[in-house]
Amino acid sequence: MAAEEAHQQTQLGDLPEACLAYAIALTSPRDACRFATVSPTFRAAADSDHVWHRFIPEDHRAIVLQPSPAKTARKKDAYLGLCDGGVPVDGDDGGCRMWLDKASGAKCYALSARRLSLPWDDGEFSWRWTRHTLSRFAEVAQLVDCTCLDIYGRLPAAALTPATVYAAYLVYGTAEGHRGLSYPDQETAVALGGRVLERHRVCLRPEDDETRKFRGAGLIAESSSVADDGNEEPRRPRMRGDGWWEIEMGRLNTTGAGGELEEEEVVASFEVLGWYPKRGLIVEGIEFRPVQS
């Protein structure tokens, strides 16, 4: 009798689809996809509109879910579309775009070169604005010539997804004949409300011969707050699938920040400490993306 009663106990898969969907909606998009492989019942619940409606940020539901013959009726497809293409922020198609990290649903942002603070960006002496076939934005900034090079990108901290570890990335390329981008006296930093959270040495165009000449000439800037003491080798860039280079600038953890983020700004910066000629850097923008676990 006890065995028969145990056999008749309700299993998790016996729950109504609506109950399963409610529970799955409390997880993450990655988990929902895992649940979909358990059984046909779980798949129906995991693919339901209730689940994927919750994964779409509330402040963007009106944009991606508005009725239109050209838009899909499935909210899962609307979510995936927001992951792949993204949307302009505040209608600013040339300045900032937001999309979702497919696995976590966290917001990602790209600030175009037009949204960044560039040195002497009010004249042709330093920068030339031009179109680029690889860019998602209308224009990129190409460095013509300068001696002082620092770049800043700012984003309201409240725009980021709570309880998430973010990294900022400088997205760039280099033109033929570039100069002054291979020396290891470059720094990046990420700050919140004026407080520097991380600072790192980087090198946009690592070339060992140039580095040796640089060190031999004693050109490491004494003002560097990340001293050349061997504790940190300069971070190197990686080539992305879209043809741009990127280098991680630093990280920010929004976990437990609470109302602190409401009025704060996140600032990601890149600076070359040495005053020598530089040219040929092509800036596409700065991205803020969740760190993949």
Side-chain angles (χ1 to χ4, degrees), residues 28-246:
S28 69
R30 179 193 287 117
D31 291 332
C33 293
R34 291 170 176 166
F35 283 124
T37 66
V38 173
S39 70
T41 302
F42 270 84
R43 183 180 304 113
D47 288 344
S48 68
D49 280 352
H50 175 81
V51 170
W52 294 94
H53 181 273
R54 187 181 182 279
F55 293 152
I56 296 173
E58 185 175 354
D59 54 347
H60 284 81
R61 289 171 187 168
I63 299 174
V64 300
L65 298 178
Q66 57 184 327
S68 170
K71 290 185 177 290
T72 177
R74 296 182 66 222
K75 294 182 180 179
K76 181 177 180 179
D77 291 335
Y79 172 88
L80 295 175
L82 198 52
C83 296
D84 295 335
V87 294
V89 175
D90 297 328
D92 185 8
D93 198 22
C96 181
R97 295 190 67 83
M98 189 284 297
W99 69 99
L100 299 181
D101 176 66
K102 188 175 293 186
S104 66
K107 294 179 180 179
C108 308
Y109 291 90
L111 304 178
S112 74
R114 282 287 186 187
R115 284 285 296 267
L116 306 180
S117 297
L118 305 174
W120 302 319
D121 60 354
D122 58 346
E124 290 296 314
F125 175 71
S126 289
W127 298 93
R128 178 168 64 91
W129 296 100
T130 183
R131 295 184 179 276
H132 198 290
T133 56
L134 298 180
S135 180
R136 78 203 99 173
F137 298 112
E139 292 179 306
V140 299
Q142 181 170 335
L143 181 62
V144 177
D145 195 17
C146 76
T147 54
C148 174
L149 179 57
D150 50 7
I151 300 170
Y152 293 85
R154 294 173 170 82
L155 184 72
L160 300 174
T161 300
T164 303
V165 179
Y166 277 89
Y169 300 87
L170 179 66
V171 183
Y172 67 96
T174 52
E176 186 176 353
H178 64 84
R179 180 182 181 185
L181 305 178
S182 302
Y183 298 148
D185 66 337
Q186 305 165 16
E187 283 188 3
T188 59
V190 170
L192 174 64
R195 303 180 305 279
V196 175
L197 304 178
E198 288 193 9
R199 192 186 300 273
H200 300 282
R201 290 177 53 206
V202 301
C203 190
L204 298 187
R205 290 284 302 192
E207 295 179 10
D208 292 338
D209 290 342
E210 294 290 341
T211 299
R212 281 193 290 268
K213 287 191 295 184
F214 187 80
R215 293 178 185 276
L219 297 176
I220 294 288
E222 295 180 358
S223 61
S224 172
S225 56
V226 182
D228 185 33
D229 56 6
N231 290 334
E232 183 188 29
E233 283 298 313
R235 290 186 170 186
R236 291 176 172 248
R238 76 170 188 92
M239 173 65 78
R240 296 157 41 121
D242 59 4
W244 293 101
W245 289 93
E246 74 173 18

